[in-house]
């Protein structure tokens, strides 16, 4: 029954072809590759468009000139120091959240689970706000936020453990841990000095506003390390989805694989959260979209999920920044769009159960 | 046979005595906590001053002025809101037969908050008598939305579905709220303090506006406690006992919205009181809702005021909003409930 939830009826059925290169054989779904390419092209176009937008309009030619280093000083500053880091941050955070969502949904075999529902974001936020309000060095922020996320996820995991992990219990315990951690976070914000408090509150709204090249470097490093590991683990995830019994009987070191999946999933969302603050519903929504378009989760679909996440988060940030009379943090935009989708999803899952 | 019935009656009388005595004890504790709430704060106040401020108020005394203008409204609001939230939570739990039912989990609190902020933004309403209606409307709509989504499908509204739908509706509403507040600085200024979920700095006039609704809701709920008992036996049993379950359910829901909406209008969204208090109370009362509701009436304010006092003490000289304290204390409750096999596998 639980498995029926993950492989919903709207999921695309894969059409696989086997390609042999020398002694190695790959199963390739050509249309997934095509879709990934298409999404990448769209991402590139959207980024270029985003570079031209803003209170100071730049034509595309000026943007290209600035990128190649031959523009005016003004254009150079606007493009390279202000707009490009923000766009790159969105493009890197989107995949991280989406991939982490895909991992968690697969791991607990429940389409309604995402890192923000089960306390990963709240854990990262708790530690990050502690770090900000006690004025430790911001350079280590991603690292401690990662630690907070892992600890929160382990607490949720341990508290919902009763011989095995049941999806519903995990969700309820996650909601509880979430509430406690957010309360503790607000407690620290209340107690902090006003400057630290406003920095913490700004961080908590979830925005890529004022991202720096430093942030971009952190994000790129994390994605470059964890993304490929995630793709490599997808095969094991599919075996786990067939059930614990099946996974054990094919000789898989179940708990070790599960732990590494949790670490990768936590790591992806925690680093993203530590830079941008909690941006909700991306991790939940994007894997669903990807499965609908490209079929059941596997290595290539996982990569596609990432590209889709980048596209959506950049789009959401552009909507928040340019389409409305005031600039909204991207977290508000994703929640405003993502929450109704989640409710629709919940309604459908309920109706089918 | 007769002897055993007699014995049962005697045991019943013993139980009645124990329950009444415990309730009286709780009432005494509430009195003590209420007095403490008048005394404890950023400046300490003697019992004599606190009592004097109530019975023979001398405006020239600084301490007595503090009690009259700050501590007394705060304590009264704590009494009213605590009772309302606890009773609303207990009634919801009985009616839905769902141990996780609570105005904040069902989205009533955030719905009411959203209603108020919308009213302030669109209608430029500032008087509480005007925006209390929006709190009711928002709470009702949110509760209906959550319940509608959660009860889809043959399983009905199970705890998990309810909690998930409630959490997501709440986060949706709060994101819209953030957007509204960012759009309009003036609205933010009006509702900023109110949104934090606190008993402090509230106007007594707001409380007086909400008081009739609170009293109506509490009285109605106590009158309906027998019906809630029957509803808690399940839909079929209640119907076969000749109850118009639809009508009673509608009435109870209305009263819950009245209680929760009024509390939100007064104190802002405060969570987990409605969840935790009925569970604590049931340890003493058992499942009889006539007793559960009566106890909630006393224990709800007792806990809310204690949480408020704790919030004043832990972060001296500043304060922690009571909503934060109740969430920190109440969340472990939710986790413990979720770990119970019966709940998780519903």
């Amino acid at each position: 029954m639980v498995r029926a939830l993950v492989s919903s009826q709207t999921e695309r059925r894969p059409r696989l072809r086997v390609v042999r290169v020398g002694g190695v054989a790959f199963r390739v779904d050509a249309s997934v590759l095509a879709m990934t390419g298409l999404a990448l092209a769209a991402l590139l176009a959207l980024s270029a468009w985003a570079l031209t937008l803003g209170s100071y309009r730049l034509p595309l030619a000026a943007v290209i000139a600035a990128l190649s280093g031959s523009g005016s000083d003004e254009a150079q500053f606007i493009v390279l120091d202000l707009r490009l880091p923000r766009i790159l941050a969105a493009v890197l955070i989107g995949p991280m959240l989406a991939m982490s969502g895909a991992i968690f949904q697969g791991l607990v075999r429940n389409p309604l689970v995402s890192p923000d529902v089960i306390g990963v974001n709240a854990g990262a936020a708790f530690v990050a706000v502690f770090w900000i309000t006690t004025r430790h060095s911001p350079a280590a922020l991603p690292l401690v936020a990662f630690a907070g996320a892992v600890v929160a996820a382990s607490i949720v995991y341990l508290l919902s453990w009763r011989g095995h992990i049941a999806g519903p219990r995990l969700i309820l315990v996650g909601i509880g841990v979430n509430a406690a951690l957010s309360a503790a976070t607000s407690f620290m914000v209340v107690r902090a000095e006003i400057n630290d408090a406003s920095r913490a509150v700004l961080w908590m709204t979830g925005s890529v506003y004022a991202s720096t090249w430093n942030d971009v470097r952190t994000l790129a490093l994390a994605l470059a390390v964890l993304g490929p590991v995630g793709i490599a683990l997808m095969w094991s995830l599919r075996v786990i989805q067939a059930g614990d019994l099946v996974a054990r009987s094919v000789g898989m070191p179940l708990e070790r694989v599960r732990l590494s999946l949790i670490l990768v999933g936590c790591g992806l969302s925690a680093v993203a959260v530590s830079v941008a603050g909690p941006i909700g519903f991306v991790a939940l929504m994007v894997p669903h979209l990807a499965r609908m378009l490209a079929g059941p989760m596997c290595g290539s679909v996982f990569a596609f999920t990432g590209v889709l996440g980048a596209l959506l988060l950049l789009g959401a940030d552009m909507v928040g920044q340019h389409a409305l009379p005031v600039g909204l943090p991207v977290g508000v935009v994703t929640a405003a769009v993502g929450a109704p989708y989640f409710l629709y999803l919940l309604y459908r899952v309920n109706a089918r159960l | 046979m007769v002897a055993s019935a007699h014995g049962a009656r005697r045991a019943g009388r013993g139980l009645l005595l124990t329950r009444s005595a415990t309730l009286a004890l709780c009432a005494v504790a509430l009195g003590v906590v209420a007095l403490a709430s008048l005394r404890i704060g950023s400046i300490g106040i003697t019992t004599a001053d606190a009592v004097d401020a109530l019975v023979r108020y001398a405006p020239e005394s600084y301490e007595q002025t503090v009690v009259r203008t700050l501590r007394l409204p705060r304590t009264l609001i704590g009494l009213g809101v605590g009772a309302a939230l606890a009773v609303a939570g207990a009634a919801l739990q009985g009616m839905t037969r769902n141990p996780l039912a609570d105005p904040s989990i069902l989205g009533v609190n955030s719905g009411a908050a959203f209603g108020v902020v919308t009213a302030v933004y669109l209608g430029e309403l500032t008087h509480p008598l005007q925006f209390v209606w929006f709190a009711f409307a928002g709470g009702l709509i949110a509760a209906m939305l959550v319940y509608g989504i959660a009860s889809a499908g043959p399983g009905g509204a199970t705890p998990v579905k309810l909690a998930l739908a409630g959490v997501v509706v709440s986060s949706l509403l709060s994101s819209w709220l953030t957007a509204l507040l960012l759009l309009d600085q003036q609205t933010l200024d009006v509702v900023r303090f109110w949104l934090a979920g606190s008993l402090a700095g509230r106007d007594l006039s707001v409380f007086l506006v909400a008081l009739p609704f609170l009293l109506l809701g509490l009285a109605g709920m106590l009158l309906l406690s027998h019906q809630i008992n029957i509803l808690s036996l399940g839909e079929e049993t209640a119907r076969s006992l000749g109850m118009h379950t639809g009508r009673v359910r509608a009435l109870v829901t209305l009263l819950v919205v009245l209680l929760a909406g009024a509390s939100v209008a007064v104190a802002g969204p405060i969570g987990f009181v409605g969840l935790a208090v009925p569970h604590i109370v049931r340890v003493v009362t058992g499942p009889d809702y006539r007793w559960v509701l009566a106890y909630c009436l006393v224990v709800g304010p007792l806990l809310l005021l204690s949480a408020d006092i704790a919030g004043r003490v832990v972060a001296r000289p500043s304060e922690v909003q009571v909503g934060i304290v109740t969430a920190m204390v109440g969340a472990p409750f939710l986790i413990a409930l979720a770990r119970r096999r019966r709940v998780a596998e519903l």
Side-chain angles (χ1 to χ4, degrees), chain A residues 342-343 346, chain B residues 105 146 149-150 160-170:
Chain A
F342 183 94
L343 289 175
L346 186 64
Chain B
I105 289 183
V146 168
I149 289 170
V160 179
K161 291 188 202 166
L162 258 187
L164 257 183
V167 164
V168 176
V169 166
S170 296

Side-chain angles (χ1 to χ4, degrees), chain A residues 96-97 100-101 103-105 107 113-128 142 144-157 170-171 173-179 181-182 185 203 261-274 277-279 283:
Chain A
M96 295 170 86
L97 292 175
S100 131
I103 288 177
F104 278 110
Q105 283 170 13
L107 201 59
V113 167
S114 77
D116 27 349
V117 173
I118 66 167
V120 171
N121 285 7
F126 173 73
V127 178
V144 290
F146 171 68
V150 173
V151 170
S154 344
I155 290 174
V156 171
Y157 201 81
L170 186 79
I171 294 171
V173 170
I175 290 172
V177 170
N178 240 330
L181 284 172
S182 340
T185 309
W203 184 86
L261 276 166
I262 288 180
L263 280 178
V264 173
C266 278
L268 283 168
S269 63
V271 177
V273 169
S274 72
I279 297 176

Side-chain angles (χ1 to χ4, degrees), chain A residues 127-137 188 192-193 196 199:
Chain A
V127 178
V129 169
F130 173 77
W131 205 252
I132 292 172
T133 52
T134 50
R135 299 189 187 153
H136 285 78
S137 94
M188 286 188 299
E193 220 178 304
D196 299 329
R199 267 174 59 210

